[in-house]
Amino acid sequence: MYDFCVIGGGIVGLSTGMTLLNQYPNAKVLIVEKEKEWASHQTGHNSGVIHSGIYYKPGSYKARFAREGSKAMVEFCQKHNIQHEICGKVIVATAPEELPLLENLYDRGLQNGINVQKINNSAQLKEFEPHVEGLAAIRVLEAGIVNYKQVAKTFAKIIAIHGGDLRLQTKVMNINHGTNGIEIETTKGTFHTRYLINCAGLQSDRMARLEQVKTGIKIVPFRGEYYELKPEKRSLVKNLIYPVPNPNFPFLGVHFTRMIDGSVEAGPNAVLSLKREGYTKLDIDLRDLAEVLTYPGFWKIASKYWKNGLEEMIRSYSKKAFVKGLQKLVPEITEKDIEPAPAGVRAQALKADGTLVDDFHIIYGQNTVHVCNAPSPAATASLQIGRAIVNGLQLDQNREAN
């Protein structure tokens, strides 16, 4: 009998397991992950940005957790000698209609307690990013970069050191409540636990359904497709360069990210993935696709954002169109300067009425927790999310883990 079982070996699940063992050192903690290594999906395919929290609504989980989480992440990396860098980023307005949006973003940054600076003209902007063209910009000093897969693997090592049971290649097939706690049937046998925490990311709504929890959402996968600058063109980008986000569209738009290994990614565009864990255009899963196409919320959001979606699809299949988007920020970029890079898939929670779940979405049940929406900045905020999950557990005070 385990005290706690965490489903999902991404950065949020591992952070939760690590936090459980920190708060309850004598507890028996099990982490199950269906893949052969940790951080195989969202964690291992993201851009590696340590987010400041400037984009998020003041008072939201995202804003608070990103702000607190970025500091905690830097402290963790320093403690465990994980390579990272607080390099800063610029958010650039390239058209007059973006200037009021940039001003709003600056105000939001101040409300969220972020160290932001105005860049008033192109000449000032070139002091930070010599190859970027823009009318004005915001400099966010606290943004940084790290390899989150390395962070997640460090979480797993700490769990193992403190006696946690780590099980890879262990896929959950069924969940049942019984007189002897919660029974978890997997491909590697059946486990029993007093408390269950679902951090399954792209599969989180399905794990909740196995436990007959009504989440009110469906996970819809969006593939983020990237290019990277060829080595001889990396000098065009010093750090992180972002456009002013469209407030009516849920994705940030194509941007430039210097990675911790020195490479520079350009992207992502965002297109519907035909498979929850589909990282190429040819990846199709009929069950995954049918769930999306028969979900009322998908068609409602598709009708709302069809123009934006069409633009994203064109960029997905046309390198020329993708480069045109990049040239708004760095005009010198040409098609010859970039080459395809690995894609990522974002688990986006969607309600039946077509509303995107914008904030982290955590459901507490009977001895269970289901993390049903943890998109960016979840990696940045993973330490804070893990603490929030553990602090929110309704532990039986008569049988509380030691």
Side-chain angles (χ1 to χ4, degrees):
M1 170 66 75
Y2 290 93
D3 294 301
F4 303 99
C5 174
V6 179
I7 301 174
I11 199 167
V12 172
L14 292 168
S15 171
T16 302
M18 188 174 66
T19 304
L20 285 166
L21 286 164
N22 181 54
Q23 292 199 23
Y24 308 106
N26 298 321
K28 294 181 180 178
V29 176
L30 170 68
I31 317 288
V32 295
E33 164 59 47
K34 66 182 176 65
E35 304 298 348
K36 63 182 179 181
E37 64 177 353
W38 307 111
S40 290
H41 292 295
Q42 292 184 100
T43 305
H45 291 82
N46 73 21
S47 60
V49 173
I50 301 175
H51 290 283
S52 64
I54 189 171
Y55 298 109
Y56 312 122
K57 183 180 178 180
S60 65
Y61 279 125
K62 278 188 176 183
R64 182 161 57 88
F65 285 1
R67 181 85 179 102
E68 297 169 358
S70 62
K71 292 181 178 179
M73 183 58 64
V74 170
E75 290 172 2
F76 183 88
C77 292
Q78 290 171 340
K79 182 178 179 180
H80 296 279
N81 297 315
I82 297 172
Q83 187 181 3
H84 66 288
E85 183 182 345
I86 301 303
C87 57
K89 75 176 176 182
V90 291
I91 303 171
V92 183
T94 58
E97 60 269 21
E98 293 177 345
L99 294 174
L101 300 176
L102 188 70
E103 186 68 26
N104 292 340
L105 203 56
Y106 175 78
D107 291 340
R108 175 165 283 192
L110 295 178
Q111 290 178 58
N112 286 337
I114 297 165
N115 191 354
V116 290
Q117 297 176 349
K118 285 186 176 181
I119 298 174
N120 296 312
N121 52 54
S122 179
Q124 289 182 8
L125 176 58
K126 287 184 180 297
E127 293 177 15
F128 303 104
E129 291 288 351
H131 300 277
V132 173
E133 290 291 344
L135 302 177
I138 297 171
R139 187 179 179 215
V140 185
L141 281 73
E142 297 162 6
I145 50 177
V146 72
N147 182 332
Y148 282 119
K149 196 159 191 173
Q150 186 180 359
V151 173
K153 288 182 177 180
T154 304
F155 288 176
K157 288 179 183 178
I158 293 170
I159 291 169
I161 289 169
H162 288 87
D165 191 352
L166 295 161
R167 303 290 184 104
L168 290 167
Q169 294 181 288
T170 305
K171 183 177 180 179
V172 174
M173 306 302 291
N174 206 2
I175 300 170
N176 300 296
H177 282 260
T179 55
N180 194 26
I182 302 169
E183 184 180 86
I184 303 168
E185 298 175 21
T186 78
T187 52
K188 294 292 181 70
T190 298
F191 303 95
H192 293 86
T193 183
R194 289 166 51 202
Y195 297 94
L196 172 67
I197 304 170
N198 165 20
C199 299
L202 284 155
Q203 308 294 339
S204 59
D205 58 335
R206 289 175 175 169
M207 291 298 106
R209 285 206 302 271
L210 287 180
E211 209 228 329
Q212 299 182 2
V213 171
K214 294 181 179 179
T215 63
I217 59 96
K218 172 83 68 180
I219 294 297
V220 176
F222 286 91
R223 187 173 62 255
E225 296 171 332
Y226 291 86
Y227 284 88
E228 65 177 331
L229 269 61
K230 293 181 178 178
E232 64 271 20
K233 291 295 181 177
R234 290 174 182 173
S235 60
L236 293 175
V237 175
K238 289 182 66 177
N239 293 304
L240 311 177
I241 306 168
Y242 281 63
V244 176
N246 179 350
N248 298 316
F249 191 58
F251 301 103
L252 284 176
V254 293
H255 47 272
F256 294 91
T257 306
R258 178 168 64 83
M259 311 291 281
I260 199 68
D261 64 0
S263 61
V264 177
E265 283 191 345
N269 69 317
V271 295
L272 177 69
S273 177
L274 306 183
K275 181 180 180 181
R276 289 205 182 192
E277 295 161 4
Y279 297 100
T280 74
K281 294 180 178 69
L282 299 178
D283 286 336
I284 299 175
D285 183 284
L286 294 180
R287 177 195 176 193
D288 292 350
L289 183 58
E291 279 197 15
V292 172
L293 296 182
T294 57
Y295 188 59
F298 170 73
W299 293 107
K300 290 176 182 177
I301 195 172
S303 64
K304 182 178 181 180
Y305 293 117
W306 70 270
K307 287 184 179 179
N308 306 88
L310 181 60
E311 290 174 2
E312 297 288 331
M313 287 294 294
I314 291 171
R315 276 200 292 266
S316 175
Y317 286 93
S318 168
K319 187 177 182 181
K320 182 177 181 180
F322 196 103
V323 169
K324 189 175 180 180
L326 298 177
Q327 287 172 336
K328 291 181 181 179
L329 292 169
V330 182
E332 295 173 54
I333 293 283
T334 69
E335 290 184 52
K336 295 179 180 179
D337 297 334
I338 61 173
E339 54 193 4
V345 178
R346 168 176 172 162
Q348 177 61 59
L350 181 63
K351 295 181 181 179
D353 64 2
T355 304
L356 287 167
V357 180
D358 185 53
D359 210 351
F360 300 133
H361 188 57
I362 302 173
I363 300 171
Y364 291 91
Q366 183 181 358
N367 293 359
T368 61
V369 183
H370 296 276
V371 183
C372 290
N373 196 55
S376 180
T380 299
S382 55
L383 289 164
Q384 300 306 113
I385 297 172
R387 289 169 189 159
I389 290 168
V390 174
N391 291 338
L393 280 169
Q394 301 300 306
L395 297 181
D396 182 339
Q397 297 302 311
N398 296 319
R399 300 174 57 203
E400 185 171 331
N402 293 321

